[in-house]
Amino acid sequence: MSPVGSGEESGDTAVGPKHHRDAVQQAAARLFSEKGFTATGVREIAGEAGVDPALVIRYFGSKEKLFLRTMTMSVDFADLMAGPLDGLGERAVTFVLGRTRTGGPSGPYGAGGERSYSAGVFAALLRASDRPTVRAHLAETVEEMFVGLVAGRLDGADADLRARLMAAQLTGLMTSMHVVEDPGLAAASDGEITRYYGRSIQLLIDG
Amino acid sequence: MSPVGSGEESGDTAVGPKHHRDAVQQAAARLFSEKGFTATGVREIAGEAGVDPALVIRYFGSKEKLFLRTMTMSVDFADLMAGPLDGLGERAVTFVLGRTRTGGPSGPYGAGGERSYSAGVFAALLRASDRPTVRAHLAETVEEMFVGLVAGRLDGADADLRARLMAAQLTGLMTSMHVVEDPGLAAASDGEITRYYGRSIQLLIDG
DNA sequence: GTCTATAGGTCGATAGAC
DNA sequence: GTCTATCGACCTATAGAC
């Protein structure tokens, strides 16, 4: 739920040695965000993490719980949304377009041991949203990222609604680019997309 | 690919009596759009259609081919996009919001024997877009519905890009409402959503 | 804590009788 | 054309030995 922390959720059922758990989480994050929920098997995750398949379940309870724990929006994105409202539209679009990777320029792994690809995370979540738990997780993410981080700071009427519609616009860009993978959008220049789409989003922010 | 026709695609491998094929297509369209691709079994489709499960495969080759054939955007939506550009933004939003059902007010089944729920179709396609064929089908739909039907009629620069971004905005609204199912959006009034979001879309149309 | 072996289930697709 | 029976492949999750 909360953006990827430092993996210190020690209040949980902390089973297994930490480096094994982290290895599983890391492998899961990469595979899930790259191939999606169904196409990624527990055996595969275990293989990449170098642990036994049975341990994956033992550590996290189920494949689905592991998915929910690992597929979480990047902290960078939250930082962005918490930033100044002025020019936020263009900045958000730029982020969605270019910054697919998170957790440092190209360093190995983040402090928490996980490396998230925002685009992949989003696509995986959307595609697995048949599952009620995943759908709830998605809705919660939207709630925290947008309603929570920007709605309260919007001037004018219908702040809550405008924040949600802004979220919808960003959702649309992410979906078109990373789920539908519209080749026409991929071919377009980032600058032009940012200009047109950023203006639309800013319009909702400014009211 | 083409919006749901009258089921007259007789150039194909036309196996089975027409009313049986239609029954299968009808059941498939309903179940797929309601429960998605993976959650809908061939046996279930056959059961609802009143035919033998083996025939479903025999008629359509595979579950996936049946899915691609049945999950197709409504003709109503195409008509809308082909309509006048003036006020198109608001009309499109209104369609996405209210008009989930297609093919007549509440009559039994359309002329072709299929009944499509646009929202469900979209959600199902998006959620099954791990599969390359489905993803291609989606991209193609966007291409036909937007680039094909509106881009050519847009005045000003970057017509093609603007049409795609308009598609992205609509995609975002559909995704937020019918895939993520944001409760905050569901609770908002249609009129307000239409006003805010319609204006954003119209901005791209007008350039 | 860790691994082996397997349970237990689902599903799409097929072969062959009628 | 239609249906019965079943194959065969896949998966997550678990029970129990070490």
Side-chain angles (χ1 to χ4, degrees):
Chain A
M1 316 304 173
S2 65
V4 204
S6 308
E8 286 295 350
E9 317 276 340
S10 52
D12 258 307
T13 50
V15 202
K18 196 157 177 320
H19 67 282
H20 272 184
R21 275 182 66 94
D22 285 358
V24 170
Q25 231 165 337
Q26 213 170 97
R30 195 185 75 80
L31 290 168
F32 279 144
S33 68
E34 227 170 57
K35 315 183 16 177
F37 179 78
T38 46
T40 301
V42 172
R43 290 166 178 79
E44 197 178 1
I45 296 171
E48 176 149 329
V51 306
D52 189 90
L55 293 180
V56 174
I57 301 295
R58 178 160 181 81
Y59 289 161
F60 297 94
S62 72
K63 179 186 163 186
E64 184 171 319
K65 281 183 187 152
L66 175 58
F67 182 74
L68 288 176
R69 185 178 287 277
T70 51
M71 300 318 268
T72 182
M73 278 304 199
S74 88
V75 283
D76 292 12
F77 194 63
D79 288 348
L80 179 80
M81 298 313 290
L85 295 179
D86 193 64
L88 179 56
E90 291 209 348
R91 265 178 291 130
V93 172
T94 302
F95 183 91
V96 168
L97 288 182
R99 194 100 136 129
T100 66
R101 207 171 273 228
T102 220
S106 70
Y109 293 148
E114 62 267 23
R115 174 174 64 170
S116 305
Y117 299 67
S118 292
V121 168
F122 177 79
L125 283 173
L126 214 60
R127 289 181 175 137
S129 64
D130 319 43
R131 299 170 180 261
T133 60
V134 175
R135 202 163 51 243
H137 180 81
L138 250 176
E140 215 171 305
T141 300
V142 170
E143 200 72 23
E144 289 173 1
M145 288 272 183
F146 300 98
V147 185
L149 293 179
V150 333
R153 300 150 56 209
L154 293 184
D155 288 332
D158 305 315
D160 187 276
L161 176 61
R162 278 158 49 211
R164 281 179 206 281
L165 292 178
M166 179 197 66
Q169 287 196 333
L170 281 175
T171 296
L173 189 60
M174 289 201 260
T175 303
S176 297
M177 296 221 47
H178 307 300
V179 183
V180 178
E181 295 178 5
D182 178 3
L185 275 187
S189 92
D190 285 13
E192 281 175 335
I193 296 179
T194 304
R195 193 155 45 84
Y196 283 116
Y197 215 80
R199 183 176 50 160
S200 278
I201 292 178
Q202 196 66 40
L203 196 74
L204 280 170
I205 295 174
D206 296 337
Chain B
M1 320 304 172
S2 65
V4 203
S6 307
E8 285 295 351
E9 317 277 338
S10 53
D12 259 307
T13 49
V15 201
K18 197 159 179 318
H19 67 284
H20 272 184
R21 276 182 67 96
D22 285 357
V24 169
Q25 231 165 339
Q26 211 171 96
R30 197 184 73 79
L31 289 167
F32 280 144
S33 68
E34 228 171 57
K35 316 182 15 175
F37 179 78
T38 45
T40 302
V42 171
R43 289 165 178 80
E44 196 179 0
I45 295 171
E48 175 149 331
V51 307
D52 190 89
L55 293 180
V56 173
I57 301 295
R58 179 159 180 81
Y59 289 162
F60 297 94
S62 73
K63 180 185 163 186
E64 185 170 319
K65 280 183 188 154
L66 175 58
F67 183 74
L68 288 175
R69 184 177 289 275
T70 51
M71 301 319 268
T72 183
M73 279 303 198
S74 87
V75 284
D76 292 13
F77 194 62
D79 287 348
L80 179 79
M81 298 313 291
L85 295 179
D86 194 64
L88 179 57
E90 291 209 349
R91 266 178 289 130
V93 172
T94 301
F95 183 92
V96 168
L97 288 181
R99 194 97 137 129
T100 66
R101 206 171 273 228
T102 219
S106 71
Y109 293 148
E114 63 266 25
R115 174 174 64 172
S116 305
Y117 299 67
S118 292
V121 168
F122 177 79
L125 283 174
L126 214 60
R127 288 180 175 139
S129 65
D130 317 44
R131 300 171 178 263
T133 60
V134 175
R135 200 161 54 245
H137 180 80
L138 250 176
E140 214 171 306
T141 300
V142 170
E143 200 71 23
E144 288 174 1
M145 287 273 184
F146 300 97
V147 185
L149 292 179
V150 334
R153 300 150 57 210
L154 293 184
D155 288 331
D158 306 315
D160 186 277
L161 176 61
R162 279 157 50 212
R164 282 179 206 280
L165 293 178
M166 179 197 67
Q169 288 196 332
L170 281 175
T171 297
L173 189 60
M174 289 200 258
T175 303
S176 297
M177 296 221 47
H178 307 301
V179 183
V180 178
E181 293 177 8
D182 178 4
L185 275 186
S189 91
D190 284 14
E192 281 176 335
I193 296 179
T194 304
R195 193 154 45 85
Y196 284 116
Y197 215 81
R199 183 177 48 159
S200 278
I201 292 179
Q202 196 66 40
L203 195 73
L204 280 170
I205 294 174
D206 296 338

